[in-house]
Amino acid sequence: MTAIEQTEAARPRGTRLPRRARRNQLLGAAQEVFVAQGYHAAAMDDIAERAGVSKPVLYQHFPGKLDLYLALLDQHCEALLLAVRGALASTTDNKLRVAATMDAYFAYVEDEGGAFRLVFESDLTNEPAVRERVDRVSLQCAEAISDVIAEDTGLSKDESMLLAVGLGGVSQVVARYWLSSESPVARETAVGLLTSLAWRGIAGFPLHGTDAGQGGQGAQS
């Protein structure tokens, strides 16, 4: 059950919920308000009303709006990182790994809750705590991709990291464009196109330990 589904299930005012369930409900309501209005325009009153609770109940769980926003950001940064790591671990075929990783970003931005906007399109990036979290998850995703590249190609850590940042950056930028432009291209087709583009580049690096003369095998299993 998503945070928003938990909000819908637990919204009636006056219902007593276990602390964890109430927290999840409040996070779901906050996500709806922050995604729709942005951080600056959102008010704790709006979030409490959306959740169907009093403001004192909201403040029992989150001392302020920034605390609530950061808790929500932590939740969705973790979800992105788990999705990328899961994609990389889903197969040992490197071309399929590229496709799975690209699709992880597309699935993340396509989620109906719009949580990706808090991570990639926040109106609060001038806040150090927000900037640190956004930068950290981008770095962690790149590091996960970089580890696979370094292991398979024998490239240095720094070289692998440059390639990984490129792959992750292209994935999220294209996925966001695909969603915001309401592209008629189906998600599967879009992922396939982006995978073909990335694969033509990454496959040029030979597998670690193979004959350098057999270039083009680097991303192949």
Side-chain angles (χ1 to χ4, degrees):
M1 181 179 288
T2 67
I4 289 178
E5 288 171 337
Q6 288 170 324
T7 303
E8 294 294 341
R11 184 161 288 156
R13 187 178 297 273
T15 302
R16 293 187 62 84
L17 293 173
R19 184 171 181 82
R20 181 179 294 275
R22 178 67 77 191
R23 178 182 172 87
N24 287 337
Q25 177 210 12
L26 296 173
L27 287 171
Q31 179 178 326
E32 294 176 358
V33 174
F34 284 136
V35 168
Q37 301 181 21
Y39 178 84
H40 295 293
M44 293 293 269
D45 285 321
D46 299 328
I47 295 169
E49 181 178 356
R50 185 66 176 164
V53 301
S54 65
K55 280 182 66 177
V57 169
L58 179 57
Y59 281 112
Q60 285 174 9
H61 293 266
F62 301 99
K65 185 167 71 166
L66 180 59
D67 300 282
L68 179 52
Y69 191 87
L70 292 177
L72 195 57
L73 189 59
D74 284 338
Q75 181 183 79
H76 292 296
C77 283
E78 180 68 14
L80 174 60
L81 181 59
L82 289 175
V84 170
R85 287 176 173 170
L88 292 168
S90 65
T91 178
T92 57
D93 182 300
N94 284 320
K95 186 174 184 180
L96 295 180
R97 269 180 175 155
V98 172
T101 302
M102 299 292 182
D103 190 60
Y105 281 93
F106 274 76
Y108 186 73
V109 303
E110 194 181 25
D111 182 81
E112 65 180 14
F116 80 94
R117 300 187 188 282
L118 305 179
V119 179
F120 296 133
E121 299 176 2
S122 174
D123 62 344
L124 196 61
T125 52
N126 62 329
E127 165 60 46
V130 172
R131 183 74 263 162
E132 187 275 331
R133 283 163 169 80
V134 172
D135 289 345
R136 182 175 63 203
V137 74
S138 296
L139 179 64
Q140 289 174 324
C141 288
E143 286 174 340
I145 298 169
S146 175
D147 287 344
V148 175
I149 293 174
E151 180 179 355
D152 282 357
T153 66
L155 291 172
S156 71
K157 179 179 179 180
D158 290 336
E159 291 170 327
S160 298
M161 192 64 178
L162 285 174
L163 293 176
V165 169
L167 287 172
V170 166
S171 299
Q172 64 100 345
V173 169
V174 174
R176 286 165 53 206
Y177 167 78
W178 171 80
L179 184 71
S180 65
S181 67
E182 299 182 348
S183 174
V185 179
R187 173 175 143 190
E188 181 179 354
T189 302
V191 169
L193 288 170
L194 193 56
T195 298
S196 295
L197 176 65
W199 179 249
R200 287 178 183 276
I202 199 69
F205 297 94
L207 283 170
H208 185 46
T210 63
D211 187 340
Q214 296 178 351
Q217 303 301 307
Q220 298 181 21
S221 300

